Amino acid sequence: MGLDVKKIKSDFPILAREIRNGIPLVYLDSAATSQKPQVVIDAMTKYYQFSNANIHRGVHTLAEEATGMYEDVRKKVANFINAKSEKEIIYTRNTTESINLVAQTWGKTNLEEGDIIVLTEMEHHSNLVPWQMLAAEKHLNLEFVTVTDDGLLNLQVYKELLEKSPKLVSFTHMSNVLGTINPVKEMINLAHQAGALTMIDGAQSVPHFPVDVRDLDADFYAFSAHKMLGPTGFGILYGKEKLLDAMPPFMGGGDMIKKVLLRSFKPNDLPHKFEAGTPAIAEAVGLGAAIDYLQALGMDNIALHEHELTNYAFQKLSEIENLIIFGKNNNRGGVIAFELGIIHPHDVAQILDRHGIAIRAGHHCAMPLHEKFGIPATSRASFYLYNSYEDVDRLVEGINIASDLFG
Amino acid sequence: MGLDVKKIKSDFPILAREIRNGIPLVYLDSAATSQKPQVVIDAMTKYYQFSNANIHRGVHTLAEEATGMYEDVRKKVANFINAKSEKEIIYTRNTTESINLVAQTWGKTNLEEGDIIVLTEMEHHSNLVPWQMLAAEKHLNLEFVTVTDDGLLNLQVYKELLEKSPKLVSFTHMSNVLGTINPVKEMINLAHQAGALTMIDGAQSVPHFPVDVRDLDADFYAFSAHKMLGPTGFGILYGKEKLLDAMPPFMGGGDMIKKVLLRSFKPNDLPHKFEAGTPAIAEAVGLGAAIDYLQALGMDNIALHEHELTNYAFQKLSEIENLIIFGKNNNRGGVIAFELGIIHPHDVAQILDRHGIAIRAGHHCAMPLHEKFGIPATSRASFYLYNSYEDVDRLVEGINIASDLFG
Amino acid sequence: MDDFYRELIIDRYKNPIYKGELDPHNFSYEDENPLCGDHIRIDLNIDKNNLITNAAFSGHGCAISQASADLLLETIIGKNIDEVKAISKDTILELLGIELGPVRLKCALLSLKVLKAGIYGIGEIEEDLADL
Amino acid sequence: MDDFYRELIIDRYKNPIYKGELDPHNFSYEDENPLCGDHIRIDLNIDKNNLITNAAFSGHGCAISQASADLLLETIIGKNIDEVKAISKDTILELLGIELGPVRLKCALLSLKVLKAGIYGIGEIEEDLADL
Ligand SMILES: Cc1ncc(COP(=O)(O)O)c(C=O)c1O
Ligand SMILES: Cc1ncc(COP(=O)(O)O)c(C=O)c1O
């Protein structure tokens, strides 16, 4: 079923905004963060206006309501990615914290000097730096699956690296620069055959197409609420219950304990073991509303819409002189990074901004990938369910203006 | 200047709520989390409806606005607690994360086997468990300042412990059970003379009275937005610039780096070094609005109001038969924990809830303190700027009903 | 009188019939509610036909948890183990005769949880306990 | 023509006058904008009277940063070190003739930051640089 983009746009107040007088916003930066529909904002407002309280330890009505709302979202998230149980859903701040959590708990207790972790050249800094920090501390070796000129992972290299018996393989489901959607299920299967666990960075996947962690058989899976219509300050770590159960706690404090003496404590059961202190309660509620909104439209429909829109954009952009798109055409999500002749990406973004079009310019937190391609920065347009063909046309128009200006 | 509590109450939508038909809410659980005025909710709504974007790396208008709003709050917070520079203000999720951050970065690099950390018996789990985890890992010794029967820290014991040359002293500015406001400035001074650094848990102080970190000369100071009219999911760590500068990063990922290669990275400057991944942007904006609200009323006025209200409550509660208040009368903030004869705190809280009065029952994340006093749980009423004398009267009424019921 | 705290509950809290320890006993199990630290121990004597001949509980807790423990033990004395296994959440709620939110529900069900955990053997059949 | 990208800026970006490296030179300093990775190196020849006799910049960056570097060097040739120290943010903005948001301001001021950092000696007087 096609999306009614006009209707959808009207659900997002910010999309009615003008950037300067008479210049309406075209938002093409959803890979950085998504906009929020009014229902998500309302859910949080309503929480604060009606049910706000600290959770878990309270007997009074507000505390019971807040706890219920907070925990119901866990079930919703579990259902959304088809986890077996809500115990497998850990609330974090963002994808970045989810990955750090695994590195600092599972990694610290299960890895030893000389152990190998396999990553890829297309990773976001969030899936590089936590492992670099761990590697430096524990003297591990990091190995990297290379990226082909087409922007795909080199599976031959991947298989060779698996022969070295890595303990963990961690990679992104979809590249936030190339748009490449990696063959995650196949790669996880290969990793498991080689005896490695798998951590998947789902920051760009969960918002855009259906993800089934059990079908993928992922051991850990991370994503952020703010990229999927939800609030800032909220993220998810999925982990298989057996793995999470065996991991030590991450941070210490209230709620993650069963019992505390002066010099020792007994950690709480899952999922609370990993959630120390007063959590982001309103933000959980916001994510719940975001998931409802996404599910009402249907993740399959959203994926199809973005796929068609991206094909259209790809087509249109390919016709522009001196414009080079990074990454292969097939199997791509709605992210297009490009170079435009001699014009620096910052200038491209700025000229587009003057016409109301918001794209991102820079290294998109993937410096090594840019280094590999020999450019410090690219311009990046990214799409979501609220983008229309007209938005793409305005992008193309804007790019042509920039080209002319520098022509 | 006295507070106009009636006017203030009308700023908080939730305070107009009825718990059951015709039973209006009396919220006396602000030590767990505070309620939010409409201006705070509105600030976040407006952010999402008008300026939402990812920060720091964006050239487009929304990204510039969002970055500006996010960073302006840092100046506001620095000003609010009189930090020297906004570089000293690190954004975290809550007090708990702030303390864990110090334990995992400063603690890991500066402490060695056998080193001593001094804590107190009145600490919240958030200021116990992070040090227990660190102590277990690095074989440190934890020592505890005892609490007197009056609910005060035993300064004689403190001085004796300082003679053992601890590396760090960490304690709460105000107890969330006893209400005790500790002599922080004097204690920090003594610690510094003994060559120890100081970490102060300000979760219960910053919301309720003026705090000047430079006057106190605190080395680290932590607090949570949600207890000071701000949103959930947002906290602050203050640290002296020189200390923060010398500390290794906490989590790895986007934004906390200057440069990333495949196998190494260069950390960013302060404060970004400690903020990995997309942060809680809307929540920062919310805290900014909360600080504006608090400052417009004046922290001195708020402190005075709570002081008078607490005195009144103390007086009234003292008259109730079989009611035992924990903690000494003087120098206390607006927190009163009590026992009511044979009635279990859960039952007290539940009976009060049936009359619309929200208090907390349990160990209030201070199990060791309860253990010391030989009771597993207490009932706790806590006050904030929106509480009135009438609220106290209703509390007393509710307690009398509970007493009669079990009488 | 508050409709929530029925006279029965307060009466059982203040004057429990089955509070204490059994000496001797041939079954004993204890656990606590991590949310509030409430602690309950249940002692039983079970004869060779798996019949419960005597029961007592000790520990501390709120009126709801103490009264429900007392009412629960009253119910099971004279029953056999299989009948005890069949006791559900609803049985307890019927005994108490009130409606409970999720937090207080945990208080009400603590004694049943302890009893069943003990009878099944620790962790033997976690499924049946999962939603207590 | 976009009023923001003045002809001057695009012209200087496409046809910089002072781009390149000086050989020989007696001063060289480089740095980058961590936000975008833009990199600038400035070479100078400074005579014994502290007069700047020649200047060149190299590296890569956006039109704003490249044009402002080119305009900056044009300004400082023939000036002495103390005069260079007196150049401020506003001087650059006047040279460019446009208004800039906080992010692009960093691009515009990168060359001045590199120049001053070099002249003061690394970290010598950080204060003066703090708000560039
Ligand atoms: C004294 C004290 N310290 C620490 C905390 C923990 O705060 P948070 O849960 O926001 O991390 C609290 C509140 O729960 C507290 O009262
Ligand atoms: C592929 C990928 N991984 C990780 C992240 C980090 O997400 P966050 O900043 O929400 O932690 C992002 C987004 O910035 C991303 O695109």
Side-chain angles (χ1 to χ4, degrees):
Chain A
M1 204 193 65
L3 298 186
D4 181 351
V5 176
K6 210 173 147 199
K7 162 78 184 66
I8 291 174
K9 267 192 200 288
S10 74
D11 293 336
F12 292 74
I14 204 172
L15 298 181
R17 168 174 178 174
E18 296 185 347
I19 286 302
R20 258 170 297 276
N21 253 346
I23 304 182
L25 169 66
V26 173
Y27 188 74
L28 298 176
D29 193 21
S30 294
T33 199
S34 73
Q35 296 304 341
K36 325 299 173 198
Q38 188 62 41
V39 286
V40 166
I41 302 170
D42 285 346
M44 293 189 282
T45 297
K46 201 172 151 211
Y47 167 77
Y48 281 130
Q49 289 185 336
F50 202 71
S51 305
N52 176 65
N54 213 327
I55 53 162
H56 288 149
R57 292 155 308 201
V59 171
H60 58 75
T61 302
L62 299 184
E64 291 217 336
E65 285 177 9
T67 305
M69 291 164 86
Y70 180 77
E71 289 300 335
D72 280 351
V73 172
R74 218 186 285 274
K75 287 178 203 140
K76 213 170 258 185
V77 173
N79 168 271
F80 189 60
I81 60 169
N82 196 29
K84 204 172 70 191
S85 147
E86 68 260 26
K87 285 188 211 163
E88 300 179 321
I89 304 299
I90 312 297
Y91 291 159
T92 64
R93 175 172 36 239
N94 48 28
T95 305
T96 304
E97 189 183 26
S98 298
I99 297 173
N100 277 274
L101 192 161
V102 174
Q104 293 301 312
T105 60
W106 180 86
K108 274 238 175 103
T109 40
N110 290 282
L111 298 179
E112 288 170 13
E113 180 162 350
D115 278 348
I116 295 172
I117 295 177
V118 170
L119 307 170
T120 88
E121 288 180 345
M122 67 165 73
E123 296 314 310
H124 188 281
H125 295 163
S126 292
N127 197 26
L128 290 172
V129 182
W131 307 114
Q132 292 174 354
M133 288 168 66
L134 186 67
E137 194 180 327
K138 310 218 27 155
H139 307 287
L140 314 174
N141 295 325
L142 304 181
E143 300 285 356
F144 294 86
V145 182
T146 52
V147 171
T148 67
D149 290 343
D150 289 340
L152 300 174
L153 288 180
N154 188 324
L155 293 186
Q156 194 47 44
V157 171
Y158 180 58
K159 285 173 193 162
E160 283 160 26
L161 290 175
L162 287 179
E163 279 169 20
K164 297 185 178 186
S165 298
K167 290 281 160 60
L168 179 76
V169 166
S170 184
F171 59 94
T172 191
H173 201 144
M174 171 175 142
S175 163
N176 67 319
V177 178
L178 303 162
T180 313
I181 298 172
N182 291 313
V184 171
K185 189 169 176 179
E186 178 189 347
M187 288 175 70
I188 289 177
N189 187 16
L190 289 170
H192 285 166
Q193 280 173 30
L197 288 187
T198 54
M199 153 114 234
I200 309 301
D201 173 353
Q204 298 293 344
S205 47
V206 173
H208 298 285
F209 49 82
V211 168
D212 180 329
V213 291
R214 269 196 283 176
D215 178 55
L216 295 174
D217 200 20
D219 298 296
F220 299 107
Y221 201 101
F223 53 102
S224 299
H226 70 92
K227 294 192 201 276
M228 54 191 288
L229 312 186
T232 53
F234 204 71
I236 300 290
L237 172 66
Y238 160 83
K240 286 183 181 164
E241 187 174 341
K242 276 224 172 93
L243 293 170
L244 293 176
D245 242 342
M247 278 149 59
F250 182 37
M251 296 191 209
D255 247 31
M256 55 68 73
I257 54 89
K258 245 188 188 148
K259 198 180 185 88
V260 177
L261 304 174
L262 281 177
R263 287 186 175 79
S264 66
F265 71 98
K266 207 177 135 194
N268 206 339
D269 297 328
L270 289 180
H272 311 292
K273 179 167 85 173
F274 294 107
E275 296 172 11
T278 305
I281 308 169
E283 290 73 12
V285 173
L287 176 61
I291 290 177
D292 289 344
Y293 187 91
L294 289 169
Q295 283 186 322
L297 291 175
M299 289 309 294
D300 276 319
N301 298 325
I302 292 168
L304 183 63
H305 170 74
E306 291 181 28
H307 184 70
E308 289 173 351
L309 197 65
T310 306
N311 280 350
Y312 177 73
F314 203 93
Q315 172 68 33
K316 285 279 176 181
L317 292 175
S318 301
E319 291 164 8
I320 297 177
E321 217 182 335
N322 290 324
L323 190 149
I324 301 170
I325 295 177
F326 288 84
K328 202 178 148 73
N329 193 353
N330 303 324
N331 252 341
R332 74 155 49 240
V335 168
I336 300 184
F338 58 90
E339 250 189 305
L340 186 62
I342 60 151
I343 316 179
H344 190 284
H346 271 189
D347 295 317
V348 176
Q350 178 110 40
I351 294 165
L352 289 178
D353 179 60
R354 297 190 65 76
H355 295 84
I357 304 149
I359 67 161
R360 195 141 287 237
H363 52 60
H364 318 302
C365 290
M367 277 196 184
L369 184 67
H370 281 81
E371 185 112 331
K372 181 189 175 85
F373 283 115
I375 36 163
T378 50
S379 305
R380 181 186 74 184
S382 55
F383 309 120
Y384 208 1
L385 45 81
Y386 37 63
N387 289 120
S388 62
Y389 288 81
E390 219 191 314
D391 292 343
V392 174
D393 292 339
R394 288 208 33 214
L395 170 68
V396 171
E397 245 175 70
I399 291 175
N400 284 328
I401 291 172
S403 289
D404 290 348
L405 207 56
F406 278 74
Chain B
M1 203 191 67
L3 298 186
D4 181 352
V5 175
K6 210 172 147 198
K7 161 78 182 64
I8 291 173
K9 267 192 200 287
S10 74
D11 293 336
F12 291 74
I14 203 171
L15 298 182
R17 169 177 175 170
E18 296 186 346
I19 287 301
R20 260 169 297 275
N21 255 346
I23 302 182
L25 169 65
V26 172
Y27 188 73
L28 298 176
D29 194 20
S30 294
T33 199
S34 72
Q35 296 304 342
K36 325 299 173 198
Q38 188 63 39
V39 286
V40 167
I41 302 169
D42 285 346
M44 293 189 283
T45 297
K46 202 173 151 211
Y47 167 79
Y48 281 129
Q49 289 185 336
F50 202 71
S51 305
N52 175 64
N54 214 325
I55 53 160
H56 288 150
R57 291 155 308 202
V59 170
H60 60 73
T61 301
L62 299 184
E64 289 216 336
E65 286 177 9
T67 304
M69 292 164 86
Y70 180 76
E71 289 301 334
D72 281 351
V73 172
R74 216 186 286 275
K75 288 178 201 142
K76 212 170 260 185
V77 173
N79 168 271
F80 190 60
I81 60 169
N82 196 29
K84 204 172 71 192
S85 147
E86 68 259 28
K87 287 187 209 162
E88 299 179 322
I89 304 300
I90 311 296
Y91 291 159
T92 64
R93 176 173 34 239
N94 49 28
T95 304
T96 304
E97 189 184 26
S98 298
I99 298 173
N100 278 274
L101 192 162
V102 174
Q104 292 301 311
T105 60
W106 180 87
K108 273 233 176 110
T109 41
N110 289 280
L111 298 178
E112 288 170 14
E113 179 161 350
D115 279 347
I116 294 172
I117 296 176
V118 171
L119 307 170
T120 90
E121 288 180 345
M122 65 166 72
E123 298 312 311
H124 188 280
H125 295 163
S126 292
N127 198 27
L128 291 171
V129 182
W131 308 114
Q132 293 175 351
M133 288 168 67
L134 185 67
E137 194 180 327
K138 310 219 24 155
H139 306 286
L140 314 173
N141 294 324
L142 304 181
E143 300 285 356
F144 294 87
V145 182
T146 52
V147 172
T148 69
D149 290 343
D150 289 340
L152 300 174
L153 288 181
N154 188 326
L155 292 186
Q156 194 47 44
V157 171
Y158 180 56
K159 286 173 192 161
E160 284 161 23
L161 290 176
L162 287 179
E163 279 169 21
K164 298 187 179 184
S165 298
K167 291 279 160 63
L168 179 76
V169 167
S170 184
F171 59 94
T172 192
H173 200 145
M174 173 177 142
S175 163
N176 68 319
V177 179
L178 302 162
T180 313
I181 298 173
N182 292 314
V184 171
K185 189 171 173 177
E186 178 190 347
M187 288 175 70
I188 288 177
N189 188 16
L190 289 169
H192 286 165
Q193 280 174 29
L197 289 186
T198 52
M199 154 115 234
I200 310 301
D201 173 351
Q204 296 294 343
S205 47
V206 173
H208 298 286
F209 49 83
V211 167
D212 180 330
V213 290
R214 269 196 284 176
D215 178 55
L216 296 174
D217 200 20
D219 298 296
F220 298 107
Y221 201 101
F223 53 102
S224 299
H226 72 92
K227 294 194 201 275
M228 54 190 287
L229 312 186
T232 52
F234 204 70
I236 300 290
L237 171 67
Y238 159 83
K240 286 184 182 163
E241 187 173 342
K242 277 223 174 91
L243 294 170
L244 294 176
D245 243 341
M247 279 150 58
F250 182 37
M251 298 192 207
D255 248 31
M256 55 68 74
I257 55 89
K258 249 192 185 141
K259 198 182 185 84
V260 177
L261 304 175
L262 281 178
R263 288 187 176 78
S264 67
F265 72 99
K266 207 177 133 195
N268 205 342
D269 297 326
L270 289 179
H272 311 292
K273 179 167 85 175
F274 294 108
E275 297 172 11
T278 305
I281 309 170
E283 291 73 10
V285 172
L287 175 60
I291 290 178
D292 289 344
Y293 187 92
L294 290 170
Q295 283 186 321
L297 289 176
M299 290 308 294
D300 277 318
N301 298 327
I302 292 168
L304 183 62
H305 171 73
E306 291 180 28
H307 184 71
E308 290 174 351
L309 197 65
T310 307
N311 280 350
Y312 177 73
F314 202 92
Q315 173 67 34
K316 285 279 176 179
L317 292 175
S318 301
E319 292 164 8
I320 298 176
E321 216 181 335
N322 289 326
L323 188 148
I324 301 170
I325 295 177
F326 289 84
K328 201 179 150 71
N329 192 355
N330 303 322
N331 253 342
R332 72 156 50 241
V335 169
I336 300 182
F338 59 89
E339 250 190 304
L340 186 63
I342 60 151
I343 315 178
H344 191 283
H346 271 189
D347 295 317
V348 176
Q350 177 111 39
I351 294 165
L352 289 179
D353 180 61
R354 299 191 64 77
H355 294 84
I357 305 150
I359 67 161
R360 194 141 288 237
H363 52 61
H364 318 300
C365 289
M367 278 194 184
L369 183 68
H370 281 81
E371 185 112 330
K372 181 189 174 88
F373 284 115
I375 36 164
T378 51
S379 306
R380 181 186 73 185
S382 54
F383 309 119
Y384 207 1
L385 45 82
Y386 38 63
N387 289 121
S388 62
Y389 289 79
E390 220 190 312
D391 291 345
V392 174
D393 292 339
R394 288 204 38 208
L395 170 68
V396 170
E397 245 175 71
I399 291 174
N400 283 329
I401 291 172
S403 289
D404 289 350
L405 206 55
F406 277 77
Chain C
M1 175 59 75
D2 190 301
D3 53 334
F4 183 82
Y5 279 87
R6 293 174 59 217
E7 208 156 340
L8 172 72
I9 293 174
I10 290 176
D11 183 49
R12 287 293 185 127
Y13 176 61
K14 289 168 69 178
N15 308 301
I17 303 170
Y18 299 95
K19 187 139 188 180
E21 300 181 5
L22 283 189
D23 186 17
H25 58 256
N26 57 16
F27 168 99
S28 184
Y29 196 69
E30 56 193 310
D31 201 0
E32 54 196 38
N33 181 344
L35 293 176
C36 57
D38 282 0
H39 183 108
I40 277 193
R41 167 177 149 185
I42 294 179
D43 296 345
L44 302 178
N45 277 314
I46 306 175
D47 73 10
K48 48 186 183 292
N49 299 320
N50 274 340
L51 222 71
I52 294 168
T53 57
N54 208 348
F57 76 97
S58 47
H60 54 78
C62 60
I64 305 282
S65 80
Q66 300 281 298
S68 70
D70 208 51
L71 292 164
L72 174 65
L73 296 196
E74 182 168 76
T75 306
I76 64 170
I77 292 173
K79 293 223 167 75
N80 75 33
I81 297 286
D82 286 332
E83 287 172 303
V84 169
K85 287 180 184 166
I87 295 176
S88 72
K89 182 159 111 176
D90 295 334
T91 320
I92 302 290
L93 290 180
E94 267 170 45
L95 288 172
L96 290 173
I98 55 174
E99 290 204 350
L100 290 168
V103 175
R104 300 317 301 282
L105 200 58
K106 289 223 159 48
C107 305
L109 298 178
L110 179 60
S111 52
L112 182 60
K113 190 165 183 171
V114 168
L115 181 64
K116 284 198 169 187
I119 284 178
Y120 280 123
I122 304 144
E124 197 194 299
I125 303 185
E126 290 208 337
E127 298 287 312
D128 187 43
L129 295 174
D131 59 53
L132 285 192
Chain D
M1 173 61 74
D2 191 300
D3 54 332
F4 183 81
Y5 279 87
R6 293 174 60 218
E7 209 157 338
L8 172 73
I9 294 174
I10 290 176
D11 184 49
R12 288 293 186 127
Y13 176 61
K14 289 167 69 179
N15 308 300
I17 303 171
Y18 300 96
K19 186 138 187 181
E21 299 182 3
L22 284 188
D23 186 18
H25 58 257
N26 58 17
F27 168 99
S28 184
Y29 196 67
E30 56 191 310
D31 202 1
E32 55 196 37
N33 181 344
L35 293 176
C36 57
D38 282 0
H39 183 107
I40 277 193
R41 167 178 150 184
I42 293 178
D43 297 346
L44 302 178
N45 277 313
I46 305 175
D47 74 9
K48 48 186 182 295
N49 299 321
N50 275 340
L51 222 73
I52 294 168
T53 57
N54 208 349
F57 76 96
S58 49
H60 53 77
C62 60
I64 305 282
S65 80
Q66 300 280 297
S68 71
D70 208 51
L71 292 163
L72 174 65
L73 295 197
E74 184 169 75
T75 306
I76 63 169
I77 291 172
K79 292 222 168 77
N80 72 35
I81 296 286
D82 286 334
E83 287 173 300
V84 169
K85 287 181 183 167
I87 295 176
S88 72
K89 183 160 112 178
D90 295 334
T91 319
I92 302 290
L93 291 179
E94 266 168 44
L95 288 172
L96 290 173
I98 55 173
E99 291 205 350
L100 290 168
V103 174
R104 299 318 299 282
L105 200 59
K106 289 220 157 50
C107 305
L109 298 178
L110 179 59
S111 52
L112 182 62
K113 190 166 184 171
V114 169
L115 180 66
K116 286 199 167 187
I119 283 177
Y120 281 122
I122 305 143
E124 198 194 298
I125 303 186
E126 289 207 337
E127 298 287 309
D128 188 41
L129 295 175
D131 59 54
L132 285 191

